[in-house]
């Protein structure tokens, strides 16, 4: 029995795998920005509370020599 040569041709649509990864990274950055703004990240840029105001409760007892 004679052996026949077989030829296999593989055809692809091109390299389209990177589009999904780029979209995932953009969506991740958008979610992180929204979470940063929702949980008070804007106070860092607006100054927040007065930085010169210091609230301290210090108990000072006189010492005897």
């Amino acid at each position: 029995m004679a052996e026949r040569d077989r030829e296999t041709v593989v055809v692809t649509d091109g390299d389209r795998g990177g589009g999904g990864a780029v979209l995932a990274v953009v969506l991740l950055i958008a979610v992180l920005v929204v979470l940063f703004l929702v949980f008070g990240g804007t106070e860092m840029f607006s100054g927040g509370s007065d930085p010169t105001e210091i609230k301290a409760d210090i108990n000072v007892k006189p010492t005897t020599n």
Side-chain angles (χ1 to χ4, degrees):
M1 197 155 127
E3 292 186 26
R4 297 182 181 173
D5 290 334
R6 293 188 179 192
E7 183 177 337
T8 304
V9 177
V10 178
V11 179
T12 62
D13 293 348
D15 188 22
R16 297 188 306 167
V22 171
L23 180 63
V25 169
V26 169
L27 286 176
L28 179 65
I29 291 172
V31 167
L32 290 175
V33 167
V34 167
L35 289 175
F36 177 76
L37 294 175
V38 166
F39 289 109
T42 56
E43 289 181 7
M44 185 177 4
F45 300 114
S46 65
S49 63
D50 187 12
T52 58
E53 181 181 353
I54 300 172
K55 296 179 182 179
D57 185 18
I58 301 172
N59 187 7
V60 179
K61 296 179 181 179
T63 59
T64 57
N65 289 337

